[in-house]
Amino acid sequence: MSDAFSTRVLNIATGSSERVFDLTQECVTFLREVSRGRDGLLNVFVPHATAGVAIIETGAGSDDDLLAALHTLLPADDRWQHRHGSPGHGRDHVLPALVPPHATLPVIGGELKLGTWQSVCLVDTNTDNTDRRVRLSFLG
């Protein structure tokens, strides 16, 4: 594989509750190890049908607000055609249409260029799946 491209898979234990999991530090660490100060793009990808990646503020309530908004838009009830798993699990399969399973972010001089209050987050509403994989890929 070319040294212009590096990839790593993170294993994230999200547990049995809905979560917004901040991945920013893992992204920064990955870039520190592989970017060698180059410009490029970081792609964050969640290879799951029931999780997504969001760029949001965390720690000031926005992560809880996001989960609350998803509850309003995608209630965990019996309206869903997709019915395996826990009650309302069909909504988890709709989540990636609203919170996509990927994000591509700028890297300048080897550093992730987010806005002041932005964080890279895994959004997981599927309480049936307690372990997630996240692929980080740097193209320099």
Side-chain angles (χ1 to χ4, degrees), residues 19-51:
R19 299 245 349 237
V20 175
F21 187 93
D22 191 338
L23 298 167
T24 309
Q25 189 54 53
E26 286 86 347
C27 293
V28 168
T29 299
F30 171 68
L31 289 171
R32 188 177 303 126
E33 294 171 6
V34 302
S35 71
R36 297 191 320 273
R38 295 176 290 166
D39 295 348
L41 296 171
L42 173 67
N43 182 263
V44 182
F45 177 69
V46 181
H48 297 281
T50 59

PDB file of all heavy atoms in Angstrom, residues 19-51:
ATOM      1  N   ARG A  19     -25.656   6.349  22.431  1.00  0.00           N
ATOM      2  CA  ARG A  19     -24.455   7.150  22.711  1.00  0.00           C
ATOM      3  C   ARG A  19     -24.085   8.049  21.569  1.00  0.00           C
ATOM      4  O   ARG A  19     -24.287   7.724  20.401  1.00  0.00           O
ATOM      5  CB  ARG A  19     -23.248   6.223  22.924  1.00  0.00           C
ATOM      6  CG  ARG A  19     -23.342   5.290  24.046  1.00  0.00           C
ATOM      7  CD  ARG A  19     -22.405   5.415  25.193  1.00  0.00           C
ATOM      8  NE  ARG A  19     -21.257   6.260  25.151  1.00  0.00           N
ATOM      9  CZ  ARG A  19     -20.023   5.837  25.361  1.00  0.00           C
ATOM     10  NH1 ARG A  19     -19.774   4.566  25.541  1.00  0.00           N
ATOM     11  NH2 ARG A  19     -19.030   6.679  25.400  1.00  0.00           N
ATOM     12  N   VAL A  20     -23.509   9.160  21.932  1.00  0.00           N
ATOM     13  CA  VAL A  20     -22.728   9.997  21.032  1.00  0.00           C
ATOM     14  C   VAL A  20     -21.318   9.909  21.597  1.00  0.00           C
ATOM     15  O   VAL A  20     -21.044  10.417  22.679  1.00  0.00           O
ATOM     16  CB  VAL A  20     -23.235  11.453  20.994  1.00  0.00           C
ATOM     17  CG1 VAL A  20     -22.321  12.311  20.150  1.00  0.00           C
ATOM     18  CG2 VAL A  20     -24.670  11.501  20.466  1.00  0.00           C
ATOM     19  N   PHE A  21     -20.448   9.215  20.874  1.00  0.00           N
ATOM     20  CA  PHE A  21     -19.098   8.906  21.356  1.00  0.00           C
ATOM     21  C   PHE A  21     -18.108   9.795  20.622  1.00  0.00           C
ATOM     22  O   PHE A  21     -17.992   9.730  19.397  1.00  0.00           O
ATOM     23  CB  PHE A  21     -18.792   7.422  21.101  1.00  0.00           C
ATOM     24  CG  PHE A  21     -17.506   6.947  21.699  1.00  0.00           C
ATOM     25  CD1 PHE A  21     -17.483   6.371  22.961  1.00  0.00           C
ATOM     26  CD2 PHE A  21     -16.319   7.084  21.005  1.00  0.00           C
ATOM     27  CE1 PHE A  21     -16.291   5.927  23.512  1.00  0.00           C
ATOM     28  CE2 PHE A  21     -15.126   6.648  21.547  1.00  0.00           C
ATOM     29  CZ  PHE A  21     -15.104   6.069  22.806  1.00  0.00           C
ATOM     30  N   ASP A  22     -17.380  10.624  21.344  1.00  0.00           N
ATOM     31  CA  ASP A  22     -16.427  11.566  20.748  1.00  0.00           C
ATOM     32  C   ASP A  22     -15.180  10.811  20.274  1.00  0.00           C
ATOM     33  O   ASP A  22     -14.484  10.189  21.076  1.00  0.00           O
ATOM     34  CB  ASP A  22     -16.065  12.639  21.761  1.00  0.00           C
ATOM     35  CG  ASP A  22     -15.298  13.798  21.157  1.00  0.00           C
ATOM     36  OD1 ASP A  22     -14.686  13.643  20.085  1.00  0.00           O
ATOM     37  OD2 ASP A  22     -15.314  14.883  21.775  1.00  0.00           O
ATOM     38  N   LEU A  23     -14.911  10.874  18.979  1.00  0.00           N
ATOM     39  CA  LEU A  23     -13.771  10.204  18.359  1.00  0.00           C
ATOM     40  C   LEU A  23     -12.619  11.156  18.039  1.00  0.00           C
ATOM     41  O   LEU A  23     -11.624  10.744  17.460  1.00  0.00           O
ATOM     42  CB  LEU A  23     -14.204   9.558  17.039  1.00  0.00           C
ATOM     43  CG  LEU A  23     -15.260   8.483  17.087  1.00  0.00           C
ATOM     44  CD1 LEU A  23     -15.769   8.193  15.681  1.00  0.00           C
ATOM     45  CD2 LEU A  23     -14.701   7.222  17.724  1.00  0.00           C
ATOM     46  N   THR A  24     -12.772  12.428  18.403  1.00  0.00           N
ATOM     47  CA  THR A  24     -11.813  13.449  17.969  1.00  0.00           C
ATOM     48  C   THR A  24     -10.392  13.107  18.382  1.00  0.00           C
ATOM     49  O   THR A  24      -9.465  13.195  17.558  1.00  0.00           O
ATOM     50  CB  THR A  24     -12.210  14.828  18.510  1.00  0.00           C
ATOM     51  OG1 THR A  24     -13.580  15.075  18.186  1.00  0.00           O
ATOM     52  CG2 THR A  24     -11.335  15.917  17.912  1.00  0.00           C
ATOM     53  N   GLN A  25     -10.179  12.724  19.623  1.00  0.00           N
ATOM     54  CA  GLN A  25      -8.817  12.434  20.081  1.00  0.00           C
ATOM     55  C   GLN A  25      -8.226  11.234  19.341  1.00  0.00           C
ATOM     56  O   GLN A  25      -7.042  11.245  19.000  1.00  0.00           O
ATOM     57  CB  GLN A  25      -8.774  12.201  21.591  1.00  0.00           C
ATOM     58  CG  GLN A  25      -7.356  12.121  22.133  1.00  0.00           C
ATOM     59  CD  GLN A  25      -6.512  13.343  21.762  1.00  0.00           C
ATOM     60  OE1 GLN A  25      -6.902  14.477  22.002  1.00  0.00           O
ATOM     61  NE2 GLN A  25      -5.360  13.116  21.163  1.00  0.00           N
ATOM     62  N   GLU A  26      -9.046  10.219  19.063  1.00  0.00           N
ATOM     63  CA  GLU A  26      -8.557   9.078  18.291  1.00  0.00           C
ATOM     64  C   GLU A  26      -8.137   9.517  16.884  1.00  0.00           C
ATOM     65  O   GLU A  26      -7.141   9.030  16.355  1.00  0.00           O
ATOM     66  CB  GLU A  26      -9.619   7.972  18.207  1.00  0.00           C
ATOM     67  CG  GLU A  26      -9.805   7.203  19.497  1.00  0.00           C
ATOM     68  CD  GLU A  26     -10.793   7.852  20.471  1.00  0.00           C
ATOM     69  OE1 GLU A  26     -11.163   9.034  20.279  1.00  0.00           O
ATOM     70  OE2 GLU A  26     -11.184   7.173  21.425  1.00  0.00           O
ATOM     71  N   CYS A  27      -8.881  10.441  16.293  1.00  0.00           N
ATOM     72  CA  CYS A  27      -8.537  10.968  14.967  1.00  0.00           C
ATOM     73  C   CYS A  27      -7.218  11.738  15.018  1.00  0.00           C
ATOM     74  O   CYS A  27      -6.351  11.566  14.154  1.00  0.00           O
ATOM     75  CB  CYS A  27      -9.654  11.870  14.439  1.00  0.00           C
ATOM     76  SG  CYS A  27     -11.201  11.027  14.078  1.00  0.00           S
ATOM     77  N   VAL A  28      -7.065  12.590  16.032  1.00  0.00           N
ATOM     78  CA  VAL A  28      -5.839  13.382  16.189  1.00  0.00           C
ATOM     79  C   VAL A  28      -4.633  12.465  16.389  1.00  0.00           C
ATOM     80  O   VAL A  28      -3.576  12.667  15.768  1.00  0.00           O
ATOM     81  CB  VAL A  28      -5.998  14.375  17.370  1.00  0.00           C
ATOM     82  CG1 VAL A  28      -4.666  15.000  17.764  1.00  0.00           C
ATOM     83  CG2 VAL A  28      -7.022  15.445  17.028  1.00  0.00           C
ATOM     84  N   THR A  29      -4.780  11.454  17.215  1.00  0.00           N
ATOM     85  CA  THR A  29      -3.687  10.505  17.464  1.00  0.00           C
ATOM     86  C   THR A  29      -3.307   9.768  16.194  1.00  0.00           C
ATOM     87  O   THR A  29      -2.117   9.624  15.868  1.00  0.00           O
ATOM     88  CB  THR A  29      -4.091   9.512  18.578  1.00  0.00           C
ATOM     89  OG1 THR A  29      -4.346  10.247  19.773  1.00  0.00           O
ATOM     90  CG2 THR A  29      -3.008   8.474  18.813  1.00  0.00           C
ATOM     91  N   PHE A  30      -4.308   9.292  15.453  1.00  0.00           N
ATOM     92  CA  PHE A  30      -4.056   8.593  14.187  1.00  0.00           C
ATOM     93  C   PHE A  30      -3.280   9.493  13.226  1.00  0.00           C
ATOM     94  O   PHE A  30      -2.274   9.076  12.645  1.00  0.00           O
ATOM     95  CB  PHE A  30      -5.389   8.154  13.580  1.00  0.00           C
ATOM     96  CG  PHE A  30      -5.295   7.619  12.179  1.00  0.00           C
ATOM     97  CD1 PHE A  30      -4.653   6.417  11.917  1.00  0.00           C
ATOM     98  CD2 PHE A  30      -5.862   8.316  11.125  1.00  0.00           C
ATOM     99  CE1 PHE A  30      -4.578   5.918  10.622  1.00  0.00           C
ATOM    100  CE2 PHE A  30      -5.798   7.823   9.828  1.00  0.00           C
ATOM    101  CZ  PHE A  30      -5.153   6.622   9.580  1.00  0.00           C
ATOM    102  N   LEU A  31      -3.722  10.733  13.069  1.00  0.00           N
ATOM    103  CA  LEU A  31      -3.051  11.656  12.146  1.00  0.00           C
ATOM    104  C   LEU A  31      -1.633  11.961  12.602  1.00  0.00           C
ATOM    105  O   LEU A  31      -0.724  12.079  11.768  1.00  0.00           O
ATOM    106  CB  LEU A  31      -3.858  12.939  11.994  1.00  0.00           C
ATOM    107  CG  LEU A  31      -5.157  12.778  11.224  1.00  0.00           C
ATOM    108  CD1 LEU A  31      -5.993  14.041  11.321  1.00  0.00           C
ATOM    109  CD2 LEU A  31      -4.891  12.407   9.770  1.00  0.00           C
ATOM    110  N   ARG A  32      -1.418  12.087  13.886  1.00  0.00           N
ATOM    111  CA  ARG A  32      -0.070  12.344  14.414  1.00  0.00           C
ATOM    112  C   ARG A  32       0.871  11.203  14.019  1.00  0.00           C
ATOM    113  O   ARG A  32       2.040  11.416  13.712  1.00  0.00           O
ATOM    114  CB  ARG A  32      -0.129  12.491  15.929  1.00  0.00           C
ATOM    115  CG  ARG A  32       1.180  12.937  16.550  1.00  0.00           C
ATOM    116  CD  ARG A  32       1.078  13.156  18.061  1.00  0.00           C
ATOM    117  NE  ARG A  32       0.045  14.133  18.371  1.00  0.00           N
ATOM    118  CZ  ARG A  32      -0.969  13.904  19.217  1.00  0.00           C
ATOM    119  NH1 ARG A  32      -1.090  12.745  19.837  1.00  0.00           N
ATOM    120  NH2 ARG A  32      -1.860  14.840  19.461  1.00  0.00           N
ATOM    121  N   GLU A  33       0.341   9.979  13.996  1.00  0.00           N
ATOM    122  CA  GLU A  33       1.166   8.809  13.694  1.00  0.00           C
ATOM    123  C   GLU A  33       1.400   8.597  12.198  1.00  0.00           C
ATOM    124  O   GLU A  33       2.419   8.030  11.822  1.00  0.00           O
ATOM    125  CB  GLU A  33       0.521   7.564  14.300  1.00  0.00           C
ATOM    126  CG  GLU A  33       0.507   7.577  15.816  1.00  0.00           C
ATOM    127  CD  GLU A  33      -0.312   6.451  16.425  1.00  0.00           C
ATOM    128  OE1 GLU A  33      -0.789   5.566  15.676  1.00  0.00           O
ATOM    129  OE2 GLU A  33      -0.493   6.458  17.653  1.00  0.00           O
ATOM    130  N   VAL A  34       0.454   9.023  11.339  1.00  0.00           N
ATOM    131  CA  VAL A  34       0.563   8.648   9.923  1.00  0.00           C
ATOM    132  C   VAL A  34       0.731   9.816   8.949  1.00  0.00           C
ATOM    133  O   VAL A  34       1.192   9.607   7.831  1.00  0.00           O
ATOM    134  CB  VAL A  34      -0.650   7.799   9.468  1.00  0.00           C
ATOM    135  CG1 VAL A  34      -0.778   6.542  10.317  1.00  0.00           C
ATOM    136  CG2 VAL A  34      -1.935   8.593   9.458  1.00  0.00           C
ATOM    137  N   SER A  35       0.385  11.025   9.323  1.00  0.00           N
ATOM    138  CA  SER A  35       0.346  12.115   8.334  1.00  0.00           C
ATOM    139  C   SER A  35       1.718  12.672   7.975  1.00  0.00           C
ATOM    140  O   SER A  35       1.895  13.219   6.891  1.00  0.00           O
ATOM    141  CB  SER A  35      -0.537  13.255   8.832  1.00  0.00           C
ATOM    142  OG  SER A  35       0.086  13.933   9.908  1.00  0.00           O
ATOM    143  N   ARG A  36       2.665  12.567   8.899  1.00  0.00           N
ATOM    144  CA  ARG A  36       4.008  13.121   8.694  1.00  0.00           C
ATOM    145  C   ARG A  36       3.946  14.586   8.255  1.00  0.00           C
ATOM    146  O   ARG A  36       4.717  15.023   7.395  1.00  0.00           O
ATOM    147  CB  ARG A  36       4.796  12.267   7.701  1.00  0.00           C
ATOM    148  CG  ARG A  36       5.040  10.854   8.198  1.00  0.00           C
ATOM    149  CD  ARG A  36       6.026  10.052   7.387  1.00  0.00           C
ATOM    150  NE  ARG A  36       5.975  10.201   5.953  1.00  0.00           N
ATOM    151  CZ  ARG A  36       5.191   9.493   5.126  1.00  0.00           C
ATOM    152  NH1 ARG A  36       4.363   8.601   5.605  1.00  0.00           N
ATOM    153  NH2 ARG A  36       5.256   9.682   3.825  1.00  0.00           N
ATOM    154  N   GLY A  37       3.003  15.329   8.833  1.00  0.00           N
ATOM    155  CA  GLY A  37       2.913  16.759   8.570  1.00  0.00           C
ATOM    156  C   GLY A  37       2.323  17.135   7.223  1.00  0.00           C
ATOM    157  O   GLY A  37       2.363  18.304   6.830  1.00  0.00           O
ATOM    158  N   ARG A  38       1.767  16.158   6.522  1.00  0.00           N
ATOM    159  CA  ARG A  38       1.243  16.427   5.177  1.00  0.00           C
ATOM    160  C   ARG A  38      -0.191  16.955   5.216  1.00  0.00           C
ATOM    161  O   ARG A  38      -0.922  16.748   6.161  1.00  0.00           O
ATOM    162  CB  ARG A  38       1.261  15.142   4.337  1.00  0.00           C
ATOM    163  CG  ARG A  38       2.659  14.619   4.070  1.00  0.00           C
ATOM    164  CD  ARG A  38       2.609  13.309   3.341  1.00  0.00           C
ATOM    165  NE  ARG A  38       2.088  12.284   4.266  1.00  0.00           N
ATOM    166  CZ  ARG A  38       1.666  11.091   3.893  1.00  0.00           C
ATOM    167  NH1 ARG A  38       1.674  10.752   2.618  1.00  0.00           N
ATOM    168  NH2 ARG A  38       1.229  10.222   4.772  1.00  0.00           N
ATOM    169  N   ASP A  39      -0.564  17.610   4.134  1.00  0.00           N
ATOM    170  CA  ASP A  39      -1.961  17.962   3.891  1.00  0.00           C
ATOM    171  C   ASP A  39      -2.663  16.736   3.326  1.00  0.00           C
ATOM    172  O   ASP A  39      -2.028  15.870   2.703  1.00  0.00           O
ATOM    173  CB  ASP A  39      -2.074  19.087   2.855  1.00  0.00           C
ATOM    174  CG  ASP A  39      -1.469  20.407   3.334  1.00  0.00           C
ATOM    175  OD1 ASP A  39      -1.163  20.532   4.533  1.00  0.00           O
ATOM    176  OD2 ASP A  39      -1.312  21.308   2.498  1.00  0.00           O
ATOM    177  N   GLY A  40      -3.964  16.681   3.505  1.00  0.00           N
ATOM    178  CA  GLY A  40      -4.718  15.575   2.944  1.00  0.00           C
ATOM    179  C   GLY A  40      -6.137  15.554   3.462  1.00  0.00           C
ATOM    180  O   GLY A  40      -6.674  16.580   3.908  1.00  0.00           O
ATOM    181  N   LEU A  41      -6.722  14.374   3.435  1.00  0.00           N
ATOM    182  CA  LEU A  41      -8.099  14.172   3.888  1.00  0.00           C
ATOM    183  C   LEU A  41      -8.161  12.999   4.851  1.00  0.00           C
ATOM    184  O   LEU A  41      -7.518  11.966   4.623  1.00  0.00           O
ATOM    185  CB  LEU A  41      -9.017  13.882   2.691  1.00  0.00           C
ATOM    186  CG  LEU A  41      -9.170  15.003   1.664  1.00  0.00           C
ATOM    187  CD1 LEU A  41      -9.926  14.501   0.449  1.00  0.00           C
ATOM    188  CD2 LEU A  41      -9.880  16.199   2.289  1.00  0.00           C
ATOM    189  N   LEU A  42      -8.960  13.187   5.894  1.00  0.00           N
ATOM    190  CA  LEU A  42      -9.256  12.092   6.813  1.00  0.00           C
ATOM    191  C   LEU A  42     -10.681  11.661   6.556  1.00  0.00           C
ATOM    192  O   LEU A  42     -11.598  12.481   6.607  1.00  0.00           O
ATOM    193  CB  LEU A  42      -9.125  12.541   8.281  1.00  0.00           C
ATOM    194  CG  LEU A  42      -9.579  11.505   9.314  1.00  0.00           C
ATOM    195  CD1 LEU A  42      -8.647  10.295   9.320  1.00  0.00           C
ATOM    196  CD2 LEU A  42      -9.679  12.130  10.693  1.00  0.00           C
ATOM    197  N   ASN A  43     -10.861  10.380   6.265  1.00  0.00           N
ATOM    198  CA  ASN A  43     -12.199   9.821   6.133  1.00  0.00           C
ATOM    199  C   ASN A  43     -12.479   8.985   7.368  1.00  0.00           C
ATOM    200  O   ASN A  43     -11.654   8.182   7.786  1.00  0.00           O
ATOM    201  CB  ASN A  43     -12.320   8.963   4.864  1.00  0.00           C
ATOM    202  CG  ASN A  43     -13.714   8.420   4.710  1.00  0.00           C
ATOM    203  OD1 ASN A  43     -13.996   7.283   5.084  1.00  0.00           O
ATOM    204  ND2 ASN A  43     -14.593   9.228   4.162  1.00  0.00           N
ATOM    205  N   VAL A  44     -13.645   9.204   7.955  1.00  0.00           N
ATOM    206  CA  VAL A  44     -14.114   8.443   9.111  1.00  0.00           C
ATOM    207  C   VAL A  44     -15.332   7.676   8.631  1.00  0.00           C
ATOM    208  O   VAL A  44     -16.299   8.279   8.155  1.00  0.00           O
ATOM    209  CB  VAL A  44     -14.477   9.375  10.288  1.00  0.00           C
ATOM    210  CG1 VAL A  44     -14.915   8.557  11.492  1.00  0.00           C
ATOM    211  CG2 VAL A  44     -13.311  10.288  10.628  1.00  0.00           C
ATOM    212  N   PHE A  45     -15.290   6.347   8.740  1.00  0.00           N
ATOM    213  CA  PHE A  45     -16.358   5.502   8.201  1.00  0.00           C
ATOM    214  C   PHE A  45     -16.770   4.455   9.233  1.00  0.00           C
ATOM    215  O   PHE A  45     -15.922   3.809   9.847  1.00  0.00           O
ATOM    216  CB  PHE A  45     -15.889   4.801   6.922  1.00  0.00           C
ATOM    217  CG  PHE A  45     -16.895   3.853   6.349  1.00  0.00           C
ATOM    218  CD1 PHE A  45     -18.074   4.305   5.792  1.00  0.00           C
ATOM    219  CD2 PHE A  45     -16.657   2.489   6.381  1.00  0.00           C
ATOM    220  CE1 PHE A  45     -19.012   3.423   5.269  1.00  0.00           C
ATOM    221  CE2 PHE A  45     -17.584   1.596   5.855  1.00  0.00           C
ATOM    222  CZ  PHE A  45     -18.765   2.061   5.302  1.00  0.00           C
ATOM    223  N   VAL A  46     -18.069   4.309   9.411  1.00  0.00           N
ATOM    224  CA  VAL A  46     -18.634   3.319  10.321  1.00  0.00           C
ATOM    225  C   VAL A  46     -19.292   2.227   9.475  1.00  0.00           C
ATOM    226  O   VAL A  46     -20.325   2.476   8.850  1.00  0.00           O
ATOM    227  CB  VAL A  46     -19.685   3.967  11.253  1.00  0.00           C
ATOM    228  CG1 VAL A  46     -20.244   2.943  12.216  1.00  0.00           C
ATOM    229  CG2 VAL A  46     -19.093   5.134  11.999  1.00  0.00           C
ATOM    230  N   PRO A  47     -18.707   1.023   9.404  1.00  0.00           N
ATOM    231  CA  PRO A  47     -19.266  -0.041   8.570  1.00  0.00           C
ATOM    232  C   PRO A  47     -20.410  -0.794   9.257  1.00  0.00           C
ATOM    233  O   PRO A  47     -20.339  -2.003   9.459  1.00  0.00           O
ATOM    234  CB  PRO A  47     -18.061  -0.939   8.308  1.00  0.00           C
ATOM    235  CG  PRO A  47     -17.243  -0.813   9.551  1.00  0.00           C
ATOM    236  CD  PRO A  47     -17.439   0.615  10.012  1.00  0.00           C
ATOM    237  N   HIS A  48     -21.413  -0.047   9.630  1.00  0.00           N
ATOM    238  CA  HIS A  48     -22.574  -0.624  10.315  1.00  0.00           C
ATOM    239  C   HIS A  48     -23.838  -0.027   9.708  1.00  0.00           C
ATOM    240  O   HIS A  48     -23.859   1.148   9.338  1.00  0.00           O
ATOM    241  CB  HIS A  48     -22.547  -0.328  11.814  1.00  0.00           C
ATOM    242  CG  HIS A  48     -21.378  -0.924  12.521  1.00  0.00           C
ATOM    243  ND1 HIS A  48     -21.333  -2.252  12.883  1.00  0.00           N
ATOM    244  CD2 HIS A  48     -20.207  -0.385  12.919  1.00  0.00           C
ATOM    245  CE1 HIS A  48     -20.186  -2.504  13.482  1.00  0.00           C
ATOM    246  NE2 HIS A  48     -19.475  -1.378  13.515  1.00  0.00           N
ATOM    247  N   ALA A  49     -24.914  -0.789   9.665  1.00  0.00           N
ATOM    248  CA  ALA A  49     -26.180  -0.326   9.097  1.00  0.00           C
ATOM    249  C   ALA A  49     -27.010   0.469  10.088  1.00  0.00           C
ATOM    250  O   ALA A  49     -28.088   0.946   9.743  1.00  0.00           O
ATOM    251  CB  ALA A  49     -26.993  -1.527   8.597  1.00  0.00           C
ATOM    252  N   THR A  50     -26.512   0.634  11.314  1.00  0.00           N
ATOM    253  CA  THR A  50     -27.314   1.277  12.362  1.00  0.00           C
ATOM    254  C   THR A  50     -26.511   2.288  13.166  1.00  0.00           C
ATOM    255  O   THR A  50     -26.780   2.501  14.361  1.00  0.00           O
ATOM    256  CB  THR A  50     -27.908   0.223  13.314  1.00  0.00           C
ATOM    257  OG1 THR A  50     -26.845  -0.527  13.897  1.00  0.00           O
ATOM    258  CG2 THR A  50     -28.875  -0.701  12.593  1.00  0.00           C
ATOM    259  N   ALA A  51     -25.529   2.940  12.559  1.00  0.00           N
ATOM    260  CA  ALA A  51     -24.734   3.955  13.258  1.00  0.00           C
ATOM    261  C   ALA A  51     -24.308   5.012  12.256  1.00  0.00           C
ATOM    262  O   ALA A  51     -24.354   4.792  11.043  1.00  0.00           O
ATOM    263  CB  ALA A  51     -23.521   3.327  13.933  1.00  0.00           C
TER     264      ALA A  51
END
